[in-house]
Amino acid sequence: MTDIRWIDQALTSSRPQVLGALLRYFRDLDTAEEAFQEACLRALRTWPQNGPPRDPAAWLILVGRNVALDATRRLKKQQPLPDEEAISDLDDAEEALAERLDGAHYRDDILRLLFICCHPDLPATQQIAVALRIVCGLTVKQIARAFLVGDSAMEQRITRAKARIADADVPFETPGAVERAERLAAVAAMIYLIFNEGYSAADSTEDLRRSFCDEAIRLARLLIRLFPAEPEILGLGALMLLQHSRTPARFDAAGAIVLLEAQDRGLWDRTMITEGLALIDKATRHRRPGPYQLQSAIAALHARAARPEDTDWAGIDQLYAGLERLQPSPVVSLNRAVAIAKLNGPEAALAMIEPLAPRLSGYFYFFGVKGAFLQQLGRIPEARIAFNQAIALANTAAEAAHIRMHLDQLLEDATPGDGAKVSH
Amino acid sequence: MLYAILCYNDENVVGSWTKEEDDAVMAKLNVVHEKLAKQGRLGPTARLLPTTAATTFRKEPPLVIDGPFAETKEQLLGFYLVDCASLDEALEVAKDLARANPGTGSYEIRPTSIFIPGSGIT
């Protein structure tokens, strides 16, 4: 007898492997999805009695493949349907076969599946929507709610994206080493996009968006299992775990943003932090630093500080300098300026961000940070202008409310306060 | 006689638990822990991080491998809990153990997420 909830979770977590393999057989997303669903139904019927198979994913792949093949044959012959029990009672034979399936095959299947979702022809939001639908199995309704659009609009968007994928010439042969590395980078970027979609939570759908973070971390763990010696994948996993560990402390009871410095560090999820630090440890041994590793190392320095004043800002500044070399971007420089403000004061930091203004003129955090530096320098009228610009660019109500709080504070007194922070 | 009870489950499933589901499991386990502790029968208890956090040191040839132990010819003989500041330090301990122990074999280094010292057995 197997717990039904365990089965449910086993089906969910096997989804990328199974769908990836079925896609390889049938080269058609809809067929693969239908076959997966039918295999899940059969699992729900047989596993409670017979117990779960040794490798649930392999079992589902074989059953799903047989189901879809049977369906095709049936259509060809136009014969009456065979007795339901006759086709579903094959589990003993299937189990023996399933045990011979090599886990290494999953690697390319999953990579292919994820890579299809991050097809370069699709805009980023569609990539995320398709990945959440196909790889994670979220319902259209769930995804629509998270993106704040109607069900039918999201259904259309996903259908259109799938059609575009079907039209595109998707290569199904096993990718070579170079291609695999390129795909892995694209897939990592997509997983991080899913994570960020959840991390920048809009108030109304916070639970759902939080589950985006959980899904992204689950996918990263899956990739780490498949590619255990890829330091950037380890870094990505670490980065998301360390950022997500702060989720319980990032908003107060009223839903207002709590800055990193003001967060109750006792609320941070220690298990996630430990796991994130362990992954960075492993990645560092490869001596092949990359953007995800550097960002996770920065998050780790925050996580290691028991109190805000214990933060190793010099270390953070160095890591941002490394990131600027590896992946130059005005946002990275803006983040570095926050560390510079801690080390050398707001004047130096302000001088550092001023050249960034033309490129960050539409960026909420730029004006939030600028306002905070000006506020610390006592340049109140200029600070007020910057904060007003930030409010105009706020992405969520919580962000706008947070800046408004700064403005209220400016009105009350002109004493230096906390800086608005960037992406921590 | 002391008995070690090693916990196995499908990591894909356990890794998919939400925080709430995980907390619910831990709460149920704590009931069992407390009963054993009261009876003075609970020794040190540890929950390991996922195998994705594991590193393996193989003796022959000496090799550090990312990922968990996967040599089915070998059997689990015992385990240590050591307090180390870094993975490198833990690997040094594993290498020391390997030098002291004849033959081949390997050592899987799995960081722990929860450690309960245990009040019963001294």
Side-chain angles (χ1 to χ4, degrees):
Chain A
M1 182 64 204
T2 307
D3 181 17
I4 201 79
R5 247 184 33 149
W6 188 95
I7 293 179
D8 188 42
Q9 280 158 342
L11 296 179
T12 309
S13 62
S14 306
R15 189 178 170 102
Q17 282 106 310
V18 179
L19 217 53
L22 291 172
L23 185 67
R24 174 160 49 87
Y25 290 131
F26 299 111
R27 305 196 169 199
D28 178 69
L29 269 177
D30 289 327
T31 311
E33 277 197 283
E34 274 163 36
F36 174 71
Q37 264 149 29
E38 182 58 34
C40 287
L41 285 176
R42 292 187 187 205
L44 284 169
R45 277 208 300 270
T46 48
W47 292 3
Q49 277 126 47
N50 304 354
R54 293 250 300 264
D55 183 345
W59 190 97
L60 290 164
I61 291 168
L62 276 148
V63 172
R65 192 179 58 171
N66 290 346
V67 164
L69 285 176
D70 282 344
T72 321
R73 270 188 221 119
R74 241 178 279 145
L75 277 175
K76 267 190 193 149
K77 290 183 186 165
Q78 295 290 325
Q79 279 175 350
L81 291 175
D83 184 57
E84 173 69 18
E85 289 310 305
I87 37 172
S88 61
D89 248 13
L90 301 168
D91 48 274
D92 281 350
E94 276 155 359
E95 246 173 82
L97 271 171
E99 272 164 33
R100 268 180 264 138
L101 258 190
D102 186 355
H105 284 319
Y106 295 152
R107 269 175 36 150
D108 293 329
D109 288 341
I110 292 174
L111 198 56
R112 190 179 296 113
L113 180 64
L114 289 166
F115 184 70
I116 283 172
C117 296
C118 54
H119 198 282
D121 284 357
L122 301 177
T125 50
Q126 280 191 22
Q127 293 179 354
I128 298 172
V130 168
L132 289 170
R133 175 72 206 96
I134 296 174
V135 186
C136 305
L138 297 191
T139 64
V140 171
K141 194 176 180 155
Q142 285 174 309
I143 303 168
R145 266 183 52 211
F147 279 104
L148 306 172
V149 299
D151 289 3
S152 57
M154 185 48 82
E155 179 82 64
Q156 268 183 8
R157 208 183 282 180
I158 290 175
T159 309
R160 237 181 285 133
K162 274 188 180 175
R164 189 171 269 182
I165 289 168
D167 288 343
D169 200 16
V170 179
F172 278 91
E173 73 282 4
T174 302
V178 175
E179 203 187 356
R180 189 182 287 157
E182 282 168 5
R183 284 187 184 194
L184 205 51
V187 165
M190 188 200 56
I191 292 177
Y192 196 43
L193 276 178
I194 294 179
F195 180 83
N196 276 316
E197 198 59 47
Y199 198 69
S200 46
D203 333 64
S204 55
T205 52
E206 203 188 312
D207 277 355
L208 197 59
R209 284 173 167 259
R210 199 183 153 157
S211 78
F212 279 23
C213 294
D214 292 331
E215 284 298 334
I217 289 172
R218 200 161 61 80
L219 289 176
R221 285 206 183 110
L222 180 67
L223 276 193
I224 295 172
R225 266 200 294 279
L226 298 172
F227 301 93
E230 287 294 335
E232 272 295 87
I233 300 298
L234 291 166
L236 172 67
L239 175 61
M240 297 193 296
L241 282 162
L242 291 170
Q243 287 185 328
H244 199 32
S245 74
R246 298 186 205 129
T247 298
R250 288 177 61 222
F251 298 93
D252 68 13
I257 293 173
V258 182
L259 292 182
L260 184 62
E261 285 178 311
Q263 284 172 15
D264 176 357
R265 295 182 181 222
L267 293 176
W268 290 359
D269 188 315
R270 298 320 303 181
T271 309
M272 282 194 204
I273 291 176
T274 315
E275 189 181 345
L277 296 178
L279 293 180
I280 295 176
D281 247 3
K282 277 181 72 174
T284 313
R285 291 183 47 82
H286 288 270
R287 309 261 176 265
R288 276 196 286 144
Y292 292 122
Q293 290 171 78
L294 285 169
Q295 289 176 76
S296 62
I298 291 164
L301 286 182
H302 287 299
R304 284 185 200 276
R307 299 167 307 161
E309 55 268 38
D310 300 334
T311 310
D312 176 6
W313 289 107
I316 289 175
D317 176 44
Q318 275 176 4
L319 288 165
Y320 273 123
L323 205 53
E324 273 182 327
R325 274 196 302 276
L326 223 59
Q327 202 179 53
S329 119
V331 174
V332 171
S333 304
L334 179 67
N335 278 289
R336 191 179 176 193
V338 177
I340 292 288
K342 297 284 177 189
L343 289 169
N344 305 333
E347 195 147 13
L350 195 61
M352 200 183 147
I353 68 164
E354 253 151 16
L356 307 173
R359 281 180 297 165
L360 293 178
S361 60
Y363 192 55
F364 165 77
Y365 290 110
F366 175 74
F367 293 103
V369 169
K370 186 179 172 187
F373 291 161
L374 288 165
Q375 187 182 359
Q376 285 167 37
L377 289 166
R379 289 156 66 174
I380 303 306
E382 291 164 273
R384 194 170 297 133
I385 294 169
F387 283 138
N388 277 321
Q389 281 167 308
I391 285 187
L393 294 166
N395 303 304
T396 63
E399 282 179 1
H402 180 77
I403 298 293
R404 211 161 285 129
M405 191 191 76
H406 274 283
L407 280 169
D408 292 346
Q409 205 189 330
L410 285 182
L411 283 175
E412 275 170 31
D413 54 47
T415 51
D418 285 341
K421 44 113 251 171
V422 193
S423 60
H424 302 311
Chain B
M1 187 71 167
L2 293 176
Y3 290 92
I5 298 174
L6 309 170
C7 312
Y8 288 88
N9 199 341
D10 187 336
E11 201 172 51
N12 284 321
V13 172
V14 176
S16 300
W17 288 344
T18 62
K19 173 110 178 72
E20 289 70 30
E21 286 170 333
D22 199 88
D23 289 347
V25 172
M26 286 313 295
K28 281 192 198 164
L29 289 174
N30 276 333
V31 176
V32 182
H33 299 162
E34 274 164 28
K35 184 174 137 200
L36 285 168
K38 250 187 222 140
Q39 294 168 343
R41 293 161 63 204
L42 184 70
T45 302
R47 179 174 183 179
L48 305 180
L49 284 177
T51 49
T52 44
T55 307
T56 302
F57 173 67
R58 195 174 291 290
K59 275 182 80 175
E60 236 11 273
L63 201 59
V64 177
I65 304 163
D66 282 303
F69 172 74
E71 185 65 75
T72 45
K73 277 184 302 195
E74 293 159 346
Q75 285 83 35
L76 178 68
L77 299 186
F79 66 92
Y80 294 83
L81 272 169
V82 284
D83 189 2
C84 298
S86 69
L87 176 60
D88 284 333
E89 236 179 85
L91 274 165
E92 280 314 308
V93 175
K95 285 173 186 170
D96 283 346
L97 292 170
R99 277 190 285 272
N101 209 345
T104 55
S106 31
Y107 296 83
E108 179 182 319
I109 295 138
R110 277 275 283 283
T112 53
S113 69
I114 297 174
F115 174 64
I116 304 171
S119 52
I121 300 161
T122 48

